[in-house]
Amino acid sequence: LIYPGQKLRLTRVAGGRPAPGVPGTLAKASGEPSLDGIGYVFSPIDQVGFVRKVPVVHQATLLMPRNTGLTMISQGDVAYAQPAQGKALAKGQLLAVYRTSDPVFHRATGQLIGTQHLICGLVEVLQSEPDYAVVGVVRSFRPILPGDKLMPFERRSVRIPVQKSVPGIDGEIFKSEEPLNVFAEFHTAFMDRGRKDGIMPGQIYSVYYRDKLNLGTVEHPRTAYAPVDCGEVLVLHVEENTATVVVTESAKEFQAGIGVRTPLASPY
């Protein structure tokens, strides 16, 4: 028996045949598995942030909650917002609350990767005046603070169709979305491959580390590094040179800099 509240783990079997009657999962005549109808449901998709090379131009800035006794703003609260120069807020408009962090640079090359945009909640414009607006917090994903910025909200589907991965991808996960030293299954993170590399939402990639092997002798030392898969990630959101992923499987804890690559074999 399965009861509400219990956690279920659905696993894939390489080369296995799914149960009869499940649409879109039977093998094609060519022997290649079909991905038609296979999807991953990620209910917190609206709170998934991103890393973008050129930061978003914000539409407004939160000033303070209407209740001046509050130091943080959360769901159900009402606050004031100041439109950015040349921007206007319309009554009934939905906006995403976000904050940015310091620019992120590639640990190996030193090149700029981009700026993280952390999505903190959603607000609706209740009243719009020339110099300010009154907004109500519809949802709060994380603590919302005065000084957080507002940008247009784009609704995304919670169901992400699984897509075929791009051959030859070899990059790294350079940062977790939350400020964590280690992260694992169900955490979200960012990889240094994006739209320009053919990355799309719904693709699955392997996470790997390198085992150091001493293959030489004392007189002639020789070192090799063998890649070892230790997990999987699913792409949730894509920017030009980065992607936001969720860890769907982890055999060990990950740290920033761990490798990510095209799976050696199809996961289906």
Side-chain angles (χ1 to χ4, degrees):
L1 297 177
I2 300 174
Y3 295 97
Q6 290 180 327
K7 294 183 178 180
L8 307 179
R9 181 188 294 274
L10 305 181
T11 57
R12 299 186 300 269
V13 179
R17 184 179 180 86
V22 179
T25 58
L26 298 180
K28 296 179 181 178
S30 65
E32 181 182 348
S34 169
L35 298 180
D36 295 340
I38 300 177
Y40 187 96
V41 175
F42 190 76
S43 56
I45 189 68
D46 286 341
Q47 67 189 63
V48 169
F50 52 89
V51 172
R52 185 174 293 181
K53 208 158 202 176
V54 179
V56 169
V57 177
H58 66 285
Q59 283 208 232
T61 303
L62 283 177
L63 296 177
M64 56 182 288
R66 176 173 279 181
N67 182 346
T68 55
L70 298 176
T71 56
M72 291 191 299
I73 308 166
S74 59
Q75 191 164 318
D77 290 338
V78 176
Y80 295 100
Q82 181 179 25
Q85 187 172 4
K87 302 290 185 180
L89 302 181
K91 184 177 179 180
Q93 184 179 4
L94 275 179
L95 299 160
V97 184
Y98 73 100
R99 71 177 64 104
T100 55
S101 55
D102 293 335
V104 182
F105 296 88
H106 200 283
R107 64 186 65 246
T109 65
Q111 292 183 334
L112 173 68
I113 296 177
T115 299
Q116 180 184 353
H117 295 64
L118 185 71
I119 309 299
C120 302
L122 303 176
V123 300
E124 180 183 1
V125 179
L126 304 177
Q127 179 184 338
S128 182
E129 301 294 340
D131 297 326
Y132 71 94
V134 179
V135 298
V137 180
V138 179
R139 296 181 66 188
S140 56
F141 309 130
R142 301 171 174 91
I144 299 174
L145 305 172
D148 285 346
K149 299 179 176 66
L150 305 180
M151 65 178 171
F153 169 63
E154 296 180 6
R155 191 173 298 279
R156 291 176 278 185
S157 173
V158 299
R159 187 181 184 279
I160 303 169
V162 173
Q163 309 283 344
K164 188 174 181 180
S165 304
V166 180
I169 293 295
D170 192 355
E172 70 172 45
I173 295 176
F174 61 87
K175 193 179 194 297
S176 64
E177 184 166 31
E178 303 293 345
L180 302 172
N181 292 324
V182 294
F183 51 97
E185 203 164 338
F186 307 127
H187 286 128
T188 47
F190 306 109
M191 61 184 280
D192 64 349
R193 296 293 185 272
R195 192 178 297 113
K196 66 181 179 60
D197 305 294
I199 305 298
M200 296 173 56
Q203 293 174 346
I204 295 172
Y205 292 95
S206 296
V207 181
Y208 74 97
Y209 64 93
R210 293 186 180 274
D211 258 346
K212 184 177 179 180
L213 305 176
N214 296 315
L215 303 178
T217 62
V218 175
E219 294 80 10
H220 303 284
R222 185 163 65 91
T223 302
Y225 294 89
V228 181
D229 287 344
C230 59
E232 282 186 348
V233 295
L234 176 88
V235 179
L236 299 174
H237 175 86
V238 176
E239 294 290 326
E240 186 61 23
N241 63 319
T242 66
T244 309
V245 300
V246 59
V247 181
T248 55
E249 182 181 327
S250 57
K252 58 174 286 184
E253 292 180 325
F254 303 156
Q255 290 182 305
I258 197 164
V260 59
R261 63 176 177 173
T262 303
L264 297 180
S266 170
Y268 290 96

